[in-house]
């Protein structure tokens, strides 16, 4: 952009708009970081404290799953995650907090690059990047990842790399397999690749998962036995799953005081129904070359059926704002604005006075179900090389902003 300004010798309105959006991005990122580091020491990056403290305890001969963080939370991830976190346990906690936050900010911008390319393409769209980054930094899932020092956003980026086919075919699935070995939630994407006939990707992901898990078994056998035979079933270790921060089907039924037996049947039956519909919709989207839409649909289904879907897991719903739903511009703008509002505003926590707790407390769950099963989600950019005859799609609000800022 600087070279373009030098060639023209003037600054246009578009240049001013791009600079202004970048300024908002920096301000939003700084605000999220300040919100995390201005908290009292015992409430600062609490999930990162669990990663760091649990592995340090393990290195001293203690129990990886016996550690409790500042907020009383234990370590709940597979042993391979503990193996990776050894790299952070050798540094003082404050240093790790700063480095972890810095890498998270970089990951958000990197995700913005992936999403920008998926939405409007690479050619001539560099100024489009700040619009996508601004949406991400303002969103509640990114805010939650930064505030708690969570790993969920990193895992989402790993899965996104495979879903958008950003690496050579022989490597697609590796990132998702490693992500599953760190945390089990990406498993739904491997199941989707099997259903959709993307066997090479599914096999590669499964092999990466098994290799990572086997490495953890070799190095941490006792921890592996404990996790895979005991801790994996201990849902009560995850925290208070009834709060509105959890937007899974299981949590919604808990909030409505559904009896345990009926809730188990409902979660199983309705969960399978949601996943089945989502896979059908995602396969149709994938066959049309809409890789982002397919990934968002599967990600939304994962949020519904997972026992817990905390705010920091819900990044797939933010990505949905970058998709379109119609050939009509006004419908796409309405969709993008609505999704962005639901994922930025604290609707589940403070919306009760306007809509009632039963509605406001479950709004993002409703959005996840809609994205997984009902909304005709499509990529904003027409896939190259497709011969399918479809009506030209008008951009949504975010995509329209990208078009206006492109040179």
């Amino acid at each position: 952009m600087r070279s373009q300004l030098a060639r023209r010798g003037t600054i246009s309105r578009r240049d001013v708009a791009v600079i202004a959006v970048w300024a908002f991005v920096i301000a939003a990122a700084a605000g999220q970081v300040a919100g995390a580091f201005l908290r009292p020491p015992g409430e600062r990056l609490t999930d990162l404290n669990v990663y760091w403290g649990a592995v340090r305890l393990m290195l001293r001969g203690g129990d990886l799953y016996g550690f409790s963080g500042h907020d009383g939370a234990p370590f709940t991830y597979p042993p391979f995650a503990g193996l990776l976190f050894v790299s952070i346990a050798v540094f003082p906690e404050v240093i790790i907090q700063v480095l972890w936050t810095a890498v998270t900010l970089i990951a958000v911008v990197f995700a913005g690059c992936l999403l920008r390319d998926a939405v409007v393409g690479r050619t001539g769209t560099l100024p489009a990047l700040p619009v996508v980054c601004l949406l991400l930094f303002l969103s509640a899932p990114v805010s939650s990842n930064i505030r708690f020092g969570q790993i969920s956003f990193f895992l989402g980026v790993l899965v996104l790399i495979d879903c958008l086919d950003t690496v050579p075919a022989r490597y697609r699935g590796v990132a998702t397999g490693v992500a599953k070995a760190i945390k089990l939630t990406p498993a739904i994407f491997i199941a989707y690749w099997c259903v959709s006939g993307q066997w090479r990707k599914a096999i590669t992901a499964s092999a990466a998962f098994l290799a990572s898990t086997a490495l953890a078994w070799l190095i941490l056998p006792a921890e592996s036995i404990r996790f895979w035979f005991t801790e994996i079933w201990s849902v009560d270790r995850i925290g208070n799953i009834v709060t509105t921060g959890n937007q899974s089907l299981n949590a919604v039924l808990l909030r409505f005081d559904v009896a345990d037996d009926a809730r188990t049947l409902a979660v199983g039956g309705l969960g399978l129904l949601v996943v089945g519909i989502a896979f059908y919709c995602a396969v149709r989207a994938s066959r049309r070359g809409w890789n982002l839409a397919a990934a968002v649909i599967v990600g939304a289904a994962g949020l519904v059926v997972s026992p817990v879907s905390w705010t920091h897991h819900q990044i797939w719903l933010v990505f949905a704002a970058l998709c379109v739903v119609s050939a009509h511009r006004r419908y796409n703008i309405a969709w993008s604005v609505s999704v962005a509002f639901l994922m930025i505003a604290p609707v589940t926590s403070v919306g009760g006075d306007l809509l009632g707790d039963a509605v406001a407390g479950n709004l993002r769950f409703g959005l996840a179900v809609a994205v997984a099963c009902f909304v005709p989600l499509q990529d904003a950019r027409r896939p190259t090389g497709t011969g399918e005859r479809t009506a030209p799609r008008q951009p949504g609000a975010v995509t329209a902003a990208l078009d206006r800022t492109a040179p």
Side-chain angles (χ1 to χ4, degrees):
M1 186 177 71
R2 184 180 300 174
S3 61
Q4 293 172 355
L5 293 180
R7 286 196 300 269
R8 291 199 303 262
T10 59
I11 298 179
S12 66
R13 291 183 181 179
R14 182 178 299 165
D15 298 328
V16 173
V18 170
I19 294 172
V21 177
W22 272 119
F24 280 118
V25 171
I26 294 171
Q32 300 291 13
V33 172
F37 280 87
L38 291 178
R39 300 168 72 89
E43 300 176 14
R44 189 180 302 155
L45 280 69
T46 51
D47 287 345
L48 180 60
N49 171 258
V50 173
Y51 309 155
W52 178 82
V55 173
R56 284 175 66 89
L57 177 62
M58 180 186 70
L59 293 176
R60 296 196 299 267
D63 181 4
L64 177 66
Y65 296 101
F67 177 83
S68 294
H70 293 316
D71 58 355
F75 190 84
T76 60
Y77 296 166
F80 181 69
L83 197 61
L84 291 182
F85 290 142
V86 168
S87 60
I88 69 173
V90 297
F91 297 98
E93 185 175 13
V94 65
I95 299 298
I96 290 304
Q97 288 177 340
V98 173
L99 292 177
W100 188 277
T101 303
V103 175
T104 301
L105 299 180
I106 294 171
V108 172
V109 176
F110 177 70
C113 294
L114 296 178
L115 293 165
R116 174 207 60 187
D117 293 341
V119 172
V120 294
R122 292 178 180 273
T123 305
T125 59
L126 182 60
L129 178 60
V131 178
V132 178
C133 290
L134 182 61
L135 170 67
L136 294 178
F137 276 121
L138 290 177
S139 70
V142 169
S143 174
S144 182
N145 272 272
I146 294 174
R147 185 170 71 253
F148 293 113
Q150 250 290 332
I151 199 172
S152 294
F153 189 81
F154 297 121
L155 303 183
V157 172
L158 290 175
V159 174
L160 197 63
I161 288 172
D162 287 334
C163 288
L164 298 183
D165 294 342
T166 57
V167 295
R170 63 181 178 273
Y171 300 124
R172 293 171 191 167
V174 172
T176 301
V178 172
K180 182 187 173 184
I182 297 172
K183 194 171 184 177
L184 299 178
T185 47
I188 191 170
F189 288 91
I190 302 177
Y192 157 67
W193 290 330
C194 291
V195 170
S196 62
Q198 301 179 62
W199 291 108
R200 181 171 183 171
K201 192 182 291 186
I203 292 171
T204 301
S206 299
F209 165 72
L210 291 174
S212 302
T213 302
L215 179 63
W217 271 92
L218 289 174
I219 300 176
L220 302 174
E223 288 78 4
S224 296
I225 291 172
R226 175 169 177 177
F227 177 82
W228 292 108
F229 291 101
T230 304
E231 302 302 339
I232 192 174
W233 311 110
S234 302
V235 179
D236 57 328
R237 287 172 55 88
I238 301 174
N240 183 10
I241 61 175
V242 184
T243 65
T244 57
N246 182 6
Q247 290 289 297
S248 68
L249 172 60
N250 182 54
V252 171
L253 296 177
L254 280 170
R255 286 193 285 272
F256 280 100
D257 294 323
V258 176
D260 288 347
D261 291 342
R263 177 169 54 83
T264 300
L265 291 174
V267 169
L270 293 177
L272 285 175
L273 179 62
V274 168
V275 170
I277 295 173
F279 281 3
Y280 172 78
C281 296
V283 169
R284 285 174 59 89
S286 179
R287 287 176 179 172
R288 288 165 170 79
W290 300 332
N291 291 339
L292 177 59
V296 169
I297 291 168
V298 175
L303 295 175
V304 173
V305 300
S306 176
V308 291
S309 294
W310 300 121
T311 303
H312 52 77
H313 296 153
Q314 298 162 19
I315 191 62
W316 296 103
L317 300 182
V318 181
F319 298 162
L322 299 171
C323 298
V324 297
V325 297
S326 170
H328 300 284
R329 184 186 187 93
R330 62 181 179 274
Y331 295 147
N332 293 326
I333 291 176
W335 167 255
S336 295
V337 170
S338 299
V339 173
F341 174 78
L342 287 177
M343 299 312 299
I344 293 174
V347 291
T348 59
S349 57
V350 301
D353 293 338
L354 295 175
L355 301 174
D357 292 336
V359 175
N362 301 303
L363 277 174
R364 289 178 184 156
F365 166 77
L367 176 61
V369 173
V371 169
C373 300
F374 301 114
V375 178
L377 221 59
Q378 307 168 17
D379 282 13
R381 183 182 65 159
R382 188 187 186 98
T384 58
T386 179
E388 185 169 349
R389 295 182 179 178
T390 56
R393 295 181 295 280
Q394 296 296 322
V398 175
T399 309
L402 300 187
D403 291 340
R404 287 194 295 271
T405 58

